[in-house]
Amino acid sequence: MTSGPPWLTILALLPAVGAVVCLLAGARAAKLVALVVSLLTLGVALSVAAGYSPGSGMQLTEQVRWIKPLGAYYALGIDGIGLTLVLLVVLVTPVVVLASWRDFDPAETGAARVVPAGAKLAPKYDAGVFYALVLAVETCALFLFLATDVFLFYVFFEVILIPMYLLIGGFGPTAKRSSAAAKFLIFGLLGGFVMLASVIGLYGLSAAAGTPSYLLSDLSQLPIGTVTGRWLFIGFMFAFAVKAPLVPLHSWLPDAAEESSPGGATMMVGVMDKIGTFGMIRFCLGLFPEASQWATPVVLILATLSIIYGAVLAIGSRDLMRFIAYTSISHFGFIVLGIFALTTQSLAGSTLYMLNHGLSTAALFIAAGYLVKRGGSRDISAYGGVQKVAPVLAGLMLFAGLSTLSLPGLSSFVSEFMVLAGTFSRYPAYAIVSTLAIVLAALYILITYQRTMTGPLNPRLDVAGEGRVRDLNGRERLAMAPLVLLILALGVFPKPMLDLINPAVQATMSYVGVSDPAPRVAAEGGR
């Protein structure tokens, strides 16, 4: 255990303290509390990142015995993969707080809105609860990305469902929010229950080996039989495939995104869903290397299906939030493809893809939220010509969309290219089929932009006496600024993040026992 202050505990608990203060402070003060706390958490995370030494394994470890009969520990640690996702969480949270600043005020200001009577339900709770729930999701996500004990991970894997359920059911825009929240919870609990069977199985194995322990460092040394390991892998993989989500376990996501507030959808897709793909690396590959290789053919088929399926449904989507959810299903397919292609390049690309997807999706959800707040509808056909009256909003919507389709020069391009190149070196057929999604992505982004932003201004957006849809104000632009800058910076200079990621990826590949295939050109030239 590392000596000195427990920085990882401080990092993870700061948002929890902020959530409690938000509930006590009242609706008006809560937003300021949430912003200050989220920025403090960002500061601690950046301090941790500054002191992190790539290639030195798990760092800043904390370990205290928690439940002795179960072998459960309060154990935290951070490596390059975990640090990448921690940085994503602490960057997105203050952006969500700032972007949602006026969303739940009794009388919204800063934009002329065209809202049909009765089109939007009032939130069930006040703004203080919203900000407390956002911080609660943040603290759960941080514990999940830092946990080095399986039981501790499982506890927060289930706990995070509660604040996310309340964000959907309490702040969704229509009467369907309750059913969408219930569907989200049912899928999440189902995945958790299946995973619980594997968690119990690990306890049995460790107890049979001597002293029960849920520490990853102990479990990775257990002699697990082939059949047993495969069954345990299925339990974990099923739960992570629900959370990610992977086709055919994806159907909860479009409904939940459609019935969430923009801030809630950002926390769900941009932050929470990364737990699934992170878990595939940390637990599926880290605990069950043989089973992961055994399951690879099926997982690659499902990942490729997700890539194409999500892209096709995005093209035909009529609801803005549902549209973004379908694009995310496609992108999660790319991430899973890179993980189970089992090459250093594809696995590093998938890890970087998690970060880049979180940034791009946050930008797209927030920009879409600004548009919906002004236009009063999530129906894509309700818009048109917005760039004439709100050019900054239109420009940011286009930028976020281009980042989502992985335009060269923007951050997602680097990670998507690495995933496809790494996959091609071992499984060229899957890489070639998945490349079709690049064309589909250009279609769904440009078609949606054309329908909402170009052409003549939709008359419903310029009703006499209502005023035109106004462009973004200073606060709204400020909320988007960090995302824009990071997407640009990581698009042209991803090296700092790859320097963090690569040593952890190489350690994972070494544990799984897989080496990169020889370059195809060199192999053919040597015949």
Side-chain angles (χ1 to χ4, degrees):
M1 181 173 174
T2 304
S3 60
W7 286 115
L8 298 186
T9 295
I10 294 170
L11 171 65
L13 284 182
L14 260 178
V17 174
V20 174
V21 176
C22 283
L23 292 174
L24 299 176
R28 290 189 175 182
K31 64 179 69 173
L32 183 59
V33 171
L35 182 61
V36 170
V37 170
S38 62
L39 290 174
L40 282 174
T41 307
L42 172 60
V44 174
L46 291 176
S47 176
V48 168
Y52 180 81
S53 177
S56 300
M58 200 68 71
Q59 299 174 37
L60 296 177
T61 55
E62 302 172 23
Q63 183 176 309
V64 178
R65 186 177 289 278
W66 179 24
I67 307 174
K68 186 175 181 179
L70 296 180
Y73 289 78
Y74 174 82
L76 305 178
I78 196 164
D79 66 356
I81 297 171
L83 180 56
T84 299
L85 293 170
V86 164
L87 291 175
L88 171 64
V89 174
V90 299
L91 286 165
V92 168
T93 303
V95 169
V96 168
V97 171
L98 192 58
S100 306
W101 199 259
R102 298 287 186 186
D103 284 3
F104 306 105
D105 287 355
E108 292 182 9
T109 60
R113 301 175 66 236
V114 185
V115 183
K120 182 178 180 181
L121 290 182
K124 291 182 179 179
Y125 315 109
D126 64 26
V129 176
F130 174 83
Y131 294 112
L133 293 173
V134 168
L135 292 178
V137 171
E138 180 182 24
T139 203
C140 289
L142 289 173
F143 272 114
L144 285 161
F145 295 137
L146 296 171
T148 56
D149 178 275
V150 171
F151 191 82
L152 180 67
F153 178 90
Y154 177 77
V155 168
F156 283 100
F157 188 83
E158 296 289 80
V159 169
I160 198 172
L161 296 174
I162 299 171
M164 202 66 246
Y165 168 82
L166 294 173
L167 278 173
I168 299 168
F171 297 92
T174 75
K176 295 180 180 179
R177 62 190 181 189
S178 295
S179 60
K183 187 174 183 179
F184 161 81
L185 187 62
I186 290 170
F187 270 78
L189 290 174
L190 175 62
F193 287 151
V194 174
M195 180 177 167
L196 178 60
S198 291
V199 172
I200 295 172
L202 285 175
Y203 167 80
L205 288 175
S206 66
T211 304
S213 174
Y214 274 117
L215 289 173
L216 285 173
S217 56
D218 292 337
L219 293 174
S220 63
Q221 303 302 316
L222 283 179
I224 302 177
T226 299
V227 175
T228 302
R230 290 176 179 181
W231 278 110
L232 295 177
F233 167 87
I234 289 172
F236 278 93
M237 185 63 195
F238 182 87
F240 297 145
V242 170
K243 191 79 80 179
L246 195 65
V247 172
L249 302 172
H250 68 287
S251 62
W252 63 269
L253 180 59
D255 292 342
E258 183 179 356
E259 295 303 322
S260 294
S261 65
T266 302
M267 294 302 293
M268 177 176 63
V269 182
V271 171
M272 189 200 74
D273 287 355
K274 304 301 183 295
I275 296 163
T277 44
F278 170 79
M280 292 176 193
I281 299 173
R282 179 73 85 222
F283 298 96
C284 292
L285 299 185
L287 293 178
F288 314 109
E290 187 280 333
S292 296
Q293 296 179 62
W294 164 75
T296 288
V298 174
V299 177
L300 291 180
I301 291 172
L302 295 178
T304 306
L305 179 61
S306 296
I307 291 169
I308 303 302
Y309 176 86
V312 170
L313 264 64
I315 293 174
S317 182
R318 296 175 58 87
D319 182 280
L320 267 174
M321 296 299 179
R322 200 173 188 88
F323 158 76
I324 301 172
Y326 283 129
T327 69
S328 293
I329 291 172
S330 181
H331 293 308
F332 277 113
F334 274 110
I335 296 171
V336 176
L337 181 73
I339 292 171
F340 282 87
L342 294 175
T343 68
T344 302
Q345 188 175 29
S346 68
L347 187 52
S350 289
T351 304
L352 185 61
Y353 209 140
M354 287 188 253
L355 172 64
N356 292 334
H357 175 263
L359 298 175
S360 299
T361 301
L364 198 55
F365 266 125
I366 290 171
Y370 290 158
L371 180 62
V372 170
K373 183 168 66 174
R374 286 157 168 77
S377 175
R378 299 185 176 208
D379 189 345
I380 293 173
S381 63
Y383 297 94
V386 174
Q387 67 178 8
K388 298 179 183 299
V389 292
V392 176
L393 172 57
L396 287 174
M397 189 82 172
L398 179 61
F399 179 86
L402 293 176
S403 179
T404 299
L405 66 80
S406 301
L407 184 76
L410 302 182
S411 60
S412 295
F413 171 76
V414 178
S415 46
E416 191 166 294
F417 182 87
M418 290 178 68
V419 166
L420 289 172
T423 302
F424 185 84
S425 67
R426 193 183 295 278
Y427 301 105
Y430 291 106
I432 291 170
V433 173
S434 299
T435 303
L436 175 62
I438 297 175
V439 178
L440 297 176
L443 285 174
Y444 62 65
I445 289 297
L446 296 178
I447 289 173
T448 301
Y449 181 82
Q450 180 187 41
R451 291 173 177 172
T452 55
M453 299 296 171
T454 65
L457 182 65
N458 192 316
R460 66 177 294 278
L461 301 177
D462 192 19
V463 181
E466 292 280 349
R468 290 189 171 216
V469 171
R470 295 178 187 170
D471 212 343
L472 301 188
N473 59 37
R475 171 189 57 79
E476 292 169 325
R477 299 182 191 194
L478 180 62
M480 291 286 286
L483 300 176
V484 172
L485 292 175
L486 284 168
I487 289 170
L488 287 171
L490 292 174
V492 298
F493 190 57
K495 186 177 183 298
M497 293 310 306
L498 290 174
D499 287 343
L500 288 178
I501 293 167
N502 283 329
V505 165
Q506 290 164 2
T508 301
M509 290 285 293
S510 175
Y511 179 78
V512 175
V514 177
S515 57
D516 291 332
R520 290 180 174 273
V521 173
E524 292 173 1
R527 290 177 183 174

